[in-house]
Amino acid sequence: MDSRMIPTRYTDTHVGDMFLRAGRLELGCVINDIRHIIVCGHSDCKAMNLLYKLEDEEYSSQRNRRLSPLRSWMWTHANSSLEHFKAWRNAGMQGPLIFSSETPLRRFVAYIDPENKFALEDKLSQINTLQQLSNVASYGFLKPRLESHDLHIHALWFDIYTGDIYYFSRGAKRFVPIDETSVERLTAEVRRYYS
């Protein structure tokens, strides 16, 4: 949704290669047999900056949520990401987080920014990107394909300042930059586990 982000630029795709809206999941994944969903997040995300501010009790008060439809929507629909973030931060930001993926029983471990390179809001953005995997998997019409391993959900995260693209590697349990040193290993992981 961010006008600074043009997914076709960093995914090396062309017009017609991607479906960009959630309402098209059924058309793409069920009717057209698309096998991979990629959830994308990015740094300096204004929605995540707003979500981060919602930690403040006055800012997120019911009165203030009534004044802002966006604030109210974020409080209602993104609070699970904020709760994951707060629990992780309160535990010292070192330990892993656990997310569900294709099915509630399939879980994966994630270490968020172990090198401590990113701002807190960007760490929240990475957590939210991973939380969206389980949100996408919650659509009932996707359930049969997810359970039969005919559909897979991945996460990419883009640093808008450096242009670096990160793929969430379940093997490495973190977002890994996609570059000359990692591309073959990440490609092998996708082929091995998601083909």
Side-chain angles (χ1 to χ4, degrees):
M1 202 166 131
D2 192 312
S3 63
R4 298 171 295 175
M5 304 302 300
I6 302 170
T8 55
R9 275 211 172 135
Y10 61 87
T11 57
D12 194 28
T13 57
H14 304 285
V15 173
D17 291 345
M18 296 172 46
F19 289 99
L20 297 175
R21 302 208 180 209
R24 298 182 179 153
L25 282 172
E26 184 176 10
L27 175 63
C29 299
V30 177
I31 296 171
N32 288 325
D33 197 31
I34 289 174
R35 296 181 49 89
H36 299 273
I37 296 172
I38 301 172
V39 174
C40 300
H42 63 88
S43 64
D44 193 27
C45 178
K46 301 310 179 206
M48 291 300 102
N49 293 347
L50 172 63
L51 182 61
Y52 183 76
K53 288 179 185 176
L54 289 174
E55 251 193 310
D56 178 83
E57 289 182 18
E58 175 62 24
Y59 190 79
S60 65
S61 69
Q62 189 174 40
R63 178 187 162 282
N64 282 331
R65 289 195 318 267
R66 284 185 183 146
L67 297 173
S68 167
L70 180 59
R71 202 178 298 186
S72 178
W73 191 93
M74 291 295 291
W75 179 259
T76 302
H77 298 286
N79 207 33
S80 58
S81 295
L82 185 58
E83 291 304 317
H84 258 100
F85 171 78
K86 290 189 315 191
W88 174 74
R89 189 191 55 210
N90 292 343
M93 298 191 300
Q94 298 298 313
L97 287 168
I98 310 250
F99 293 92
S100 61
S101 58
E102 287 82 2
T103 69
L105 297 178
R106 276 192 235 161
R107 298 186 178 274
F108 64 92
V109 171
Y111 290 89
I112 303 299
D113 190 21
E115 294 86 16
N116 200 24
K117 294 173 26 177
F118 299 109
L120 287 173
E121 294 87 346
D122 291 340
K123 294 173 196 302
L124 174 58
S125 175
Q126 289 184 350
I127 289 169
N128 181 67
T129 302
L130 297 176
Q131 179 63 40
Q132 296 315 308
L133 300 181
S134 63
N135 292 352
V136 168
S138 72
Y139 288 103
F141 59 84
L142 296 178
K143 186 177 179 180
R145 296 203 65 222
L146 291 166
E147 289 176 346
S148 65
H149 305 280
D150 290 324
L151 179 63
H152 307 284
I153 307 173
H154 310 273
L156 285 180
W157 193 81
F158 184 70
D159 185 339
I160 65 170
Y161 297 110
T162 66
D164 293 333
I165 302 168
Y166 295 79
Y167 174 76
F168 185 79
S169 164
R170 294 188 197 184
K173 298 177 176 62
R174 64 185 183 94
F175 282 98
V176 175
I178 302 172
D179 58 25
E180 303 82 28
T181 64
S182 66
V183 71
E184 287 185 28
R185 180 172 32 90
L186 293 173
T187 302
E189 177 181 328
V190 170
R191 283 190 180 131
R192 181 176 181 192
Y193 297 108
Y194 308 110
S195 294

Short mmCIF file of all heavy atoms in Angstrom, two decimals, residues 17-73:
data_model
loop_
_atom_site.label_atom_id
_atom_site.label_comp_id
_atom_site.label_asym_id
_atom_site.label_seq_id
_atom_site.Cartn_x
_atom_site.Cartn_y
_atom_site.Cartn_z
N ASP A 17 2.32 -11.01 -13.44
CA ASP A 17 2.99 -12.08 -12.72
C ASP A 17 2.53 -12.21 -11.28
O ASP A 17 2.71 -13.24 -10.66
CB ASP A 17 4.52 -11.87 -12.70
CG ASP A 17 5.15 -12.05 -14.06
OD1 ASP A 17 4.49 -12.59 -14.95
OD2 ASP A 17 6.32 -11.63 -14.20
N MET A 18 1.97 -11.16 -10.71
CA MET A 18 1.64 -11.16 -9.30
C MET A 18 0.19 -10.70 -9.07
O MET A 18 -0.32 -9.89 -9.81
CB MET A 18 2.56 -10.18 -8.54
CG MET A 18 4.00 -10.55 -8.55
SD MET A 18 5.07 -9.27 -7.84
CE MET A 18 4.25 -8.79 -6.37
N PHE A 19 -0.42 -11.23 -8.01
CA PHE A 19 -1.69 -10.71 -7.50
C PHE A 19 -1.34 -9.93 -6.24
O PHE A 19 -0.68 -10.46 -5.35
CB PHE A 19 -2.65 -11.84 -7.16
CG PHE A 19 -3.18 -12.55 -8.36
CD1 PHE A 19 -2.62 -13.75 -8.78
CD2 PHE A 19 -4.23 -12.02 -9.08
CE1 PHE A 19 -3.10 -14.41 -9.88
CE2 PHE A 19 -4.73 -12.67 -10.19
CZ PHE A 19 -4.16 -13.86 -10.60
N LEU A 20 -1.76 -8.67 -6.14
CA LEU A 20 -1.30 -7.82 -5.05
C LEU A 20 -2.32 -7.58 -3.94
O LEU A 20 -1.99 -6.97 -2.96
CB LEU A 20 -0.86 -6.45 -5.61
CG LEU A 20 0.33 -6.52 -6.57
CD1 LEU A 20 0.59 -5.15 -7.15
CD2 LEU A 20 1.56 -7.03 -5.85
N ARG A 21 -3.54 -8.04 -4.06
CA ARG A 21 -4.55 -7.75 -3.06
C ARG A 21 -5.10 -9.03 -2.44
O ARG A 21 -5.24 -10.04 -3.12
CB ARG A 21 -5.66 -6.94 -3.67
CG ARG A 21 -5.10 -5.67 -4.25
CD ARG A 21 -6.07 -4.62 -4.24
NE ARG A 21 -5.37 -3.48 -4.84
CZ ARG A 21 -5.64 -2.26 -4.56
NH1 ARG A 21 -6.57 -1.99 -3.71
NH2 ARG A 21 -4.99 -1.29 -5.10
N ALA A 22 -5.43 -8.94 -1.17
CA ALA A 22 -5.92 -10.12 -0.45
C ALA A 22 -7.18 -10.69 -1.07
O ALA A 22 -7.39 -11.90 -1.06
CB ALA A 22 -6.17 -9.76 1.01
N GLY A 23 -8.04 -9.85 -1.61
CA GLY A 23 -9.27 -10.31 -2.22
C GLY A 23 -9.04 -11.21 -3.42
O GLY A 23 -9.93 -11.92 -3.87
N ARG A 24 -7.84 -11.22 -3.94
CA ARG A 24 -7.52 -12.04 -5.10
C ARG A 24 -6.85 -13.36 -4.72
O ARG A 24 -6.44 -14.12 -5.60
CB ARG A 24 -6.63 -11.25 -6.03
CG ARG A 24 -7.36 -10.02 -6.53
CD ARG A 24 -6.55 -9.23 -7.49
NE ARG A 24 -7.35 -8.10 -7.93
CZ ARG A 24 -6.84 -6.98 -8.34
NH1 ARG A 24 -5.54 -6.82 -8.40
NH2 ARG A 24 -7.61 -6.00 -8.73
N LEU A 25 -6.76 -13.63 -3.44
CA LEU A 25 -6.12 -14.89 -3.01
C LEU A 25 -6.86 -16.11 -3.55
O LEU A 25 -6.22 -17.05 -4.01
CB LEU A 25 -6.06 -14.97 -1.48
CG LEU A 25 -4.96 -14.15 -0.81
CD1 LEU A 25 -5.14 -14.19 0.70
CD2 LEU A 25 -3.59 -14.64 -1.21
N GLU A 26 -8.17 -16.08 -3.48
CA GLU A 26 -8.91 -17.24 -3.97
C GLU A 26 -8.73 -17.41 -5.48
O GLU A 26 -8.48 -18.52 -5.96
CB GLU A 26 -10.39 -17.12 -3.64
CG GLU A 26 -11.17 -18.36 -4.05
CD GLU A 26 -12.63 -18.31 -3.64
OE1 GLU A 26 -13.12 -17.26 -3.19
OE2 GLU A 26 -13.30 -19.35 -3.76
N LEU A 27 -8.83 -16.32 -6.21
CA LEU A 27 -8.64 -16.39 -7.66
C LEU A 27 -7.25 -16.93 -8.00
O LEU A 27 -7.10 -17.83 -8.82
CB LEU A 27 -8.84 -15.01 -8.29
CG LEU A 27 -8.56 -14.92 -9.79
CD1 LEU A 27 -9.51 -15.80 -10.57
CD2 LEU A 27 -8.66 -13.48 -10.25
N GLY A 28 -6.23 -16.38 -7.34
CA GLY A 28 -4.87 -16.80 -7.66
C GLY A 28 -4.51 -18.18 -7.17
O GLY A 28 -3.98 -19.00 -7.91
N CYS A 29 -4.83 -18.47 -5.93
CA CYS A 29 -4.34 -19.70 -5.29
C CYS A 29 -5.25 -20.90 -5.48
O CYS A 29 -4.77 -22.03 -5.53
CB CYS A 29 -4.11 -19.46 -3.81
SG CYS A 29 -2.89 -18.19 -3.50
N VAL A 30 -6.54 -20.68 -5.56
CA VAL A 30 -7.46 -21.81 -5.67
C VAL A 30 -7.82 -22.06 -7.13
O VAL A 30 -7.68 -23.17 -7.63
CB VAL A 30 -8.73 -21.57 -4.81
CG1 VAL A 30 -9.72 -22.71 -4.98
CG2 VAL A 30 -8.35 -21.39 -3.34
N ILE A 31 -8.24 -21.02 -7.81
CA ILE A 31 -8.68 -21.19 -9.19
C ILE A 31 -7.50 -21.33 -10.16
O ILE A 31 -7.51 -22.18 -11.03
CB ILE A 31 -9.63 -20.04 -9.60
CG1 ILE A 31 -10.89 -20.13 -8.72
CG2 ILE A 31 -9.97 -20.10 -11.08
CD1 ILE A 31 -11.81 -18.96 -8.83
N ASN A 32 -6.48 -20.50 -9.98
CA ASN A 32 -5.34 -20.51 -10.91
C ASN A 32 -4.16 -21.32 -10.42
O ASN A 32 -3.10 -21.30 -11.04
CB ASN A 32 -4.90 -19.08 -11.25
CG ASN A 32 -5.91 -18.38 -12.14
OD1 ASN A 32 -6.52 -19.01 -13.00
ND2 ASN A 32 -6.08 -17.10 -11.92
N ASP A 33 -4.31 -22.01 -9.30
CA ASP A 33 -3.30 -22.96 -8.81
C ASP A 33 -1.92 -22.34 -8.54
O ASP A 33 -0.90 -22.98 -8.73
CB ASP A 33 -3.17 -24.13 -9.80
CG ASP A 33 -2.48 -25.33 -9.17
OD1 ASP A 33 -2.63 -25.52 -7.95
OD2 ASP A 33 -1.76 -26.04 -9.89
N ILE A 34 -1.90 -21.09 -8.09
CA ILE A 34 -0.63 -20.50 -7.66
C ILE A 34 -0.18 -21.23 -6.41
O ILE A 34 -0.96 -21.51 -5.51
CB ILE A 34 -0.79 -18.99 -7.42
CG1 ILE A 34 -0.97 -18.28 -8.77
CG2 ILE A 34 0.39 -18.42 -6.65
CD1 ILE A 34 -1.27 -16.82 -8.66
N ARG A 35 1.11 -21.57 -6.33
CA ARG A 35 1.63 -22.41 -5.25
C ARG A 35 2.37 -21.63 -4.16
O ARG A 35 2.72 -22.20 -3.14
CB ARG A 35 2.55 -23.47 -5.83
CG ARG A 35 1.82 -24.45 -6.75
CD ARG A 35 2.74 -25.51 -7.30
NE ARG A 35 3.54 -26.15 -6.28
CZ ARG A 35 3.18 -27.23 -5.58
NH1 ARG A 35 2.01 -27.78 -5.78
NH2 ARG A 35 3.99 -27.75 -4.68
N HIS A 36 2.63 -20.34 -4.38
CA HIS A 36 3.42 -19.58 -3.41
C HIS A 36 2.79 -18.21 -3.19
O HIS A 36 2.50 -17.48 -4.13
CB HIS A 36 4.86 -19.41 -3.89
CG HIS A 36 5.57 -20.69 -4.07
ND1 HIS A 36 6.24 -21.32 -3.04
CD2 HIS A 36 5.71 -21.50 -5.15
CE1 HIS A 36 6.76 -22.44 -3.48
NE2 HIS A 36 6.45 -22.57 -4.76
N ILE A 37 2.60 -17.88 -1.91
CA ILE A 37 2.16 -16.55 -1.49
C ILE A 37 3.36 -15.91 -0.82
O ILE A 37 4.00 -16.52 0.04
CB ILE A 37 0.99 -16.62 -0.50
CG1 ILE A 37 -0.24 -17.24 -1.16
CG2 ILE A 37 0.67 -15.23 0.05
CD1 ILE A 37 -1.37 -17.53 -0.19
N ILE A 38 3.66 -14.67 -1.17
CA ILE A 38 4.76 -13.96 -0.54
C ILE A 38 4.19 -12.72 0.15
O ILE A 38 3.63 -11.84 -0.49
CB ILE A 38 5.83 -13.55 -1.57
CG1 ILE A 38 6.37 -14.79 -2.27
CG2 ILE A 38 6.95 -12.78 -0.88
CD1 ILE A 38 7.29 -14.51 -3.43
N VAL A 39 4.32 -12.70 1.47
CA VAL A 39 3.90 -11.55 2.27
C VAL A 39 5.09 -10.61 2.35
O VAL A 39 6.20 -11.03 2.70
CB VAL A 39 3.46 -11.99 3.69
CG1 VAL A 39 3.17 -10.79 4.56
CG2 VAL A 39 2.26 -12.92 3.61
N CYS A 40 4.86 -9.35 2.03
CA CYS A 40 5.95 -8.37 2.00
C CYS A 40 5.77 -7.31 3.08
O CYS A 40 4.66 -6.85 3.33
CB CYS A 40 6.02 -7.69 0.64
SG CYS A 40 6.31 -8.81 -0.74
N GLY A 41 6.88 -6.94 3.69
CA GLY A 41 6.91 -5.84 4.63
C GLY A 41 8.11 -4.97 4.29
O GLY A 41 8.94 -5.34 3.47
N HIS A 42 8.21 -3.81 4.95
CA HIS A 42 9.35 -2.93 4.65
C HIS A 42 9.66 -2.00 5.82
O HIS A 42 8.87 -1.83 6.73
CB HIS A 42 9.09 -2.13 3.36
CG HIS A 42 7.92 -1.20 3.46
ND1 HIS A 42 8.02 0.08 3.92
CD2 HIS A 42 6.61 -1.39 3.15
CE1 HIS A 42 6.84 0.66 3.88
NE2 HIS A 42 5.96 -0.22 3.43
N SER A 43 10.83 -1.42 5.74
CA SER A 43 11.28 -0.49 6.77
C SER A 43 10.52 0.83 6.65
O SER A 43 9.91 1.11 5.62
CB SER A 43 12.79 -0.24 6.64
OG SER A 43 13.08 0.39 5.40
N ASP A 44 10.58 1.63 7.69
CA ASP A 44 9.93 2.93 7.76
C ASP A 44 8.49 2.86 7.28
O ASP A 44 8.01 3.73 6.56
CB ASP A 44 10.72 3.98 6.96
CG ASP A 44 10.25 5.39 7.28
OD1 ASP A 44 9.75 5.61 8.40
OD2 ASP A 44 10.35 6.25 6.39
N CYS A 45 7.80 1.82 7.69
CA CYS A 45 6.39 1.63 7.33
C CYS A 45 5.54 2.54 8.21
O CYS A 45 5.57 2.44 9.44
CB CYS A 45 6.01 0.16 7.53
SG CYS A 45 4.28 -0.17 7.17
N LYS A 46 4.80 3.41 7.59
CA LYS A 46 3.99 4.37 8.36
C LYS A 46 2.94 3.66 9.20
O LYS A 46 2.64 4.08 10.32
CB LYS A 46 3.35 5.40 7.43
CG LYS A 46 4.35 6.21 6.62
CD LYS A 46 5.45 6.80 7.49
CE LYS A 46 6.44 7.57 6.64
NZ LYS A 46 7.76 7.64 7.23
N ALA A 47 2.37 2.57 8.68
CA ALA A 47 1.38 1.83 9.47
C ALA A 47 2.04 1.22 10.70
O ALA A 47 1.46 1.23 11.80
CB ALA A 47 0.74 0.74 8.61
N MET A 48 3.25 0.69 10.56
CA MET A 48 3.95 0.10 11.71
C MET A 48 4.40 1.18 12.68
O MET A 48 4.40 0.96 13.91
CB MET A 48 5.16 -0.74 11.25
CG MET A 48 4.76 -2.00 10.51
SD MET A 48 3.75 -3.12 11.51
CE MET A 48 2.11 -2.79 10.86
N ASN A 49 4.76 2.35 12.18
CA ASN A 49 5.10 3.46 13.07
C ASN A 49 3.88 3.85 13.90
O ASN A 49 3.99 4.11 15.10
CB ASN A 49 5.60 4.67 12.26
CG ASN A 49 6.93 4.40 11.58
OD1 ASN A 49 7.62 3.42 11.88
ND2 ASN A 49 7.29 5.25 10.65
N LEU A 50 2.70 3.87 13.27
CA LEU A 50 1.46 4.15 13.99
C LEU A 50 1.17 3.05 15.01
O LEU A 50 0.84 3.33 16.17
CB LEU A 50 0.29 4.28 13.02
CG LEU A 50 -1.10 4.38 13.65
CD1 LEU A 50 -1.24 5.64 14.50
CD2 LEU A 50 -2.17 4.34 12.59
N LEU A 51 1.34 1.80 14.60
CA LEU A 51 1.09 0.68 15.52
C LEU A 51 2.02 0.78 16.73
O LEU A 51 1.59 0.56 17.86
CB LEU A 51 1.29 -0.65 14.79
CG LEU A 51 1.02 -1.91 15.62
CD1 LEU A 51 -0.43 -1.95 16.11
CD2 LEU A 51 1.35 -3.15 14.80
N TYR A 52 3.26 1.12 16.50
CA TYR A 52 4.22 1.28 17.60
C TYR A 52 3.75 2.35 18.59
O TYR A 52 3.84 2.18 19.80
CB TYR A 52 5.60 1.62 17.03
CG TYR A 52 6.67 1.73 18.08
CD1 TYR A 52 7.21 0.59 18.66
CD2 TYR A 52 7.14 2.97 18.49
CE1 TYR A 52 8.21 0.68 19.62
CE2 TYR A 52 8.13 3.07 19.45
CZ TYR A 52 8.66 1.93 20.01
OH TYR A 52 9.63 2.03 20.98
N LYS A 53 3.19 3.44 18.08
CA LYS A 53 2.70 4.52 18.94
C LYS A 53 1.49 4.06 19.77
O LYS A 53 1.22 4.63 20.83
CB LYS A 53 2.29 5.73 18.10
CG LYS A 53 3.45 6.48 17.51
CD LYS A 53 2.93 7.64 16.69
CE LYS A 53 4.05 8.35 15.98
NZ LYS A 53 3.53 9.42 15.10
N LEU A 54 0.77 3.07 19.28
CA LEU A 54 -0.41 2.59 20.00
C LEU A 54 -0.07 1.90 21.31
O LEU A 54 -0.97 1.59 22.10
CB LEU A 54 -1.24 1.65 19.11
CG LEU A 54 -1.99 2.33 17.97
CD1 LEU A 54 -2.65 1.30 17.07
CD2 LEU A 54 -3.01 3.32 18.49
N GLU A 55 1.21 1.70 21.56
CA GLU A 55 1.63 1.18 22.87
C GLU A 55 1.29 2.16 23.98
O GLU A 55 1.02 1.76 25.10
CB GLU A 55 3.16 0.98 22.85
CG GLU A 55 3.57 -0.42 22.83
CD GLU A 55 5.04 -0.54 23.15
OE1 GLU A 55 5.86 0.16 22.55
OE2 GLU A 55 5.34 -1.35 24.03
N ASP A 56 1.33 3.44 23.65
CA ASP A 56 1.04 4.48 24.61
C ASP A 56 -0.46 4.45 24.95
O ASP A 56 -1.30 4.54 24.06
CB ASP A 56 1.42 5.85 24.03
CG ASP A 56 1.10 6.97 24.97
OD1 ASP A 56 1.91 7.24 25.89
OD2 ASP A 56 0.02 7.57 24.81
N GLU A 57 -0.78 4.34 26.24
CA GLU A 57 -2.18 4.19 26.66
C GLU A 57 -3.03 5.38 26.29
O GLU A 57 -4.19 5.22 25.90
CB GLU A 57 -2.24 3.93 28.17
CG GLU A 57 -1.75 2.55 28.54
CD GLU A 57 -1.86 2.28 30.03
OE1 GLU A 57 -2.62 2.99 30.74
OE2 GLU A 57 -1.20 1.34 30.49
N GLU A 58 -2.51 6.59 26.40
CA GLU A 58 -3.28 7.78 26.03
C GLU A 58 -3.52 7.82 24.52
O GLU A 58 -4.62 8.07 24.06
CB GLU A 58 -2.56 9.05 26.49
CG GLU A 58 -3.23 10.34 26.05
CD GLU A 58 -4.65 10.51 26.62
OE1 GLU A 58 -4.98 9.92 27.65
OE2 GLU A 58 -5.44 11.23 25.98
N TYR A 59 -2.48 7.54 23.76
CA TYR A 59 -2.58 7.56 22.30
C TYR A 59 -3.58 6.52 21.80
O TYR A 59 -4.31 6.74 20.84
CB TYR A 59 -1.20 7.31 21.69
CG TYR A 59 -1.12 7.55 20.21
CD1 TYR A 59 -1.01 8.84 19.69
CD2 TYR A 59 -1.16 6.48 19.32
CE1 TYR A 59 -0.94 9.06 18.33
CE2 TYR A 59 -1.09 6.69 17.95
CZ TYR A 59 -0.98 7.99 17.47
OH TYR A 59 -0.92 8.21 16.12
N SER A 60 -3.62 5.38 22.47
CA SER A 60 -4.52 4.29 22.04
C SER A 60 -5.82 4.24 22.84
O SER A 60 -6.57 3.27 22.72
CB SER A 60 -3.80 2.95 22.16
OG SER A 60 -3.51 2.67 23.51
N SER A 61 -6.09 5.27 23.61
CA SER A 61 -7.32 5.26 24.42
C SER A 61 -8.54 5.14 23.51
O SER A 61 -8.51 5.48 22.33
CB SER A 61 -7.42 6.54 25.26
OG SER A 61 -7.66 7.65 24.40
N GLN A 62 -9.61 4.66 24.07
CA GLN A 62 -10.84 4.48 23.30
C GLN A 62 -11.29 5.81 22.70
O GLN A 62 -11.72 5.86 21.55
CB GLN A 62 -11.93 3.89 24.19
CG GLN A 62 -13.15 3.47 23.39
CD GLN A 62 -14.15 2.75 24.26
OE1 GLN A 62 -14.37 3.13 25.40
NE2 GLN A 62 -14.75 1.71 23.71
N ARG A 63 -11.15 6.88 23.45
CA ARG A 63 -11.53 8.21 22.95
C ARG A 63 -10.71 8.56 21.71
O ARG A 63 -11.25 9.00 20.70
CB ARG A 63 -11.32 9.25 24.05
CG ARG A 63 -11.63 10.66 23.63
CD ARG A 63 -11.22 11.65 24.74
NE ARG A 63 -11.09 12.98 24.26
CZ ARG A 63 -10.05 13.45 23.59
NH1 ARG A 63 -9.03 12.67 23.31
NH2 ARG A 63 -10.01 14.71 23.19
N ASN A 64 -9.41 8.36 21.77
CA ASN A 64 -8.56 8.70 20.63
C ASN A 64 -8.77 7.74 19.45
O ASN A 64 -8.63 8.15 18.30
CB ASN A 64 -7.09 8.73 21.04
CG ASN A 64 -6.76 10.01 21.79
OD1 ASN A 64 -7.38 11.04 21.56
ND2 ASN A 64 -5.80 9.94 22.69
N ARG A 65 -9.10 6.50 19.74
CA ARG A 65 -9.39 5.56 18.65
C ARG A 65 -10.68 5.95 17.92
O ARG A 65 -10.80 5.76 16.72
CB ARG A 65 -9.48 4.13 19.18
CG ARG A 65 -8.13 3.57 19.59
CD ARG A 65 -8.13 2.07 19.76
NE ARG A 65 -9.27 1.48 20.43
CZ ARG A 65 -9.34 1.21 21.73
NH1 ARG A 65 -8.32 1.48 22.52
NH2 ARG A 65 -10.41 0.66 22.25
N ARG A 66 -11.63 6.52 18.66
CA ARG A 66 -12.88 6.97 18.02
C ARG A 66 -12.63 8.15 17.08
O ARG A 66 -13.36 8.33 16.12
CB ARG A 66 -13.90 7.36 19.08
CG ARG A 66 -14.54 6.19 19.76
CD ARG A 66 -15.62 6.64 20.70
NE ARG A 66 -16.17 5.49 21.40
CZ ARG A 66 -16.60 5.52 22.64
NH1 ARG A 66 -16.55 6.64 23.34
NH2 ARG A 66 -17.09 4.44 23.20
N LEU A 67 -11.62 8.93 17.37
CA LEU A 67 -11.31 10.10 16.54
C LEU A 67 -10.55 9.75 15.27
O LEU A 67 -10.50 10.55 14.34
CB LEU A 67 -10.48 11.11 17.35
CG LEU A 67 -11.15 11.72 18.56
CD1 LEU A 67 -10.16 12.57 19.35
CD2 LEU A 67 -12.36 12.55 18.13
N SER A 68 -9.97 8.57 15.24
CA SER A 68 -9.14 8.18 14.09
C SER A 68 -9.54 6.79 13.60
O SER A 68 -9.22 5.79 14.25
CB SER A 68 -7.66 8.18 14.49
OG SER A 68 -6.88 7.54 13.51
N PRO A 69 -10.19 6.71 12.45
CA PRO A 69 -10.54 5.38 11.92
C PRO A 69 -9.31 4.51 11.69
O PRO A 69 -9.35 3.30 11.93
CB PRO A 69 -11.24 5.69 10.60
CG PRO A 69 -11.71 7.10 10.73
CD PRO A 69 -10.72 7.78 11.63
N LEU A 70 -8.21 5.11 11.26
CA LEU A 70 -7.00 4.34 11.03
C LEU A 70 -6.45 3.79 12.34
O LEU A 70 -6.08 2.62 12.44
CB LEU A 70 -5.93 5.19 10.33
CG LEU A 70 -4.62 4.49 10.04
CD1 LEU A 70 -4.82 3.26 9.16
CD2 LEU A 70 -3.63 5.45 9.39
N ARG A 71 -6.41 4.63 13.35
CA ARG A 71 -5.93 4.18 14.67
C ARG A 71 -6.81 3.06 15.20
O ARG A 71 -6.32 2.07 15.73
CB ARG A 71 -5.95 5.37 15.63
CG ARG A 71 -5.05 5.22 16.82
CD ARG A 71 -5.09 6.44 17.69
NE ARG A 71 -4.63 7.64 17.02
CZ ARG A 71 -4.46 8.81 17.61
NH1 ARG A 71 -4.69 8.94 18.90
NH2 ARG A 71 -4.06 9.85 16.93
N SER A 72 -8.11 3.20 15.03
CA SER A 72 -9.05 2.17 15.49
C SER A 72 -8.84 0.87 14.72
O SER A 72 -8.81 -0.22 15.31
CB SER A 72 -10.48 2.67 15.30
OG SER A 72 -11.38 1.69 15.70
N TRP A 73 -8.68 0.96 13.40
CA TRP A 73 -8.48 -0.23 12.58
C TRP A 73 -7.18 -0.94 12.97
O TRP A 73 -7.16 -2.16 13.13
CB TRP A 73 -8.45 0.14 11.09
CG TRP A 73 -8.51 -1.05 10.21
CD1 TRP A 73 -9.63 -1.62 9.67
CD2 TRP A 73 -7.41 -1.85 9.75
NE1 TRP A 73 -9.29 -2.72 8.92
CE2 TRP A 73 -7.93 -2.88 8.95
CE3 TRP A 73 -6.04 -1.79 9.95
CZ2 TRP A 73 -7.13 -3.84 8.34
CZ3 TRP A 73 -5.23 -2.74 9.35
CH2 TRP A 73 -5.79 -3.75 8.55
#
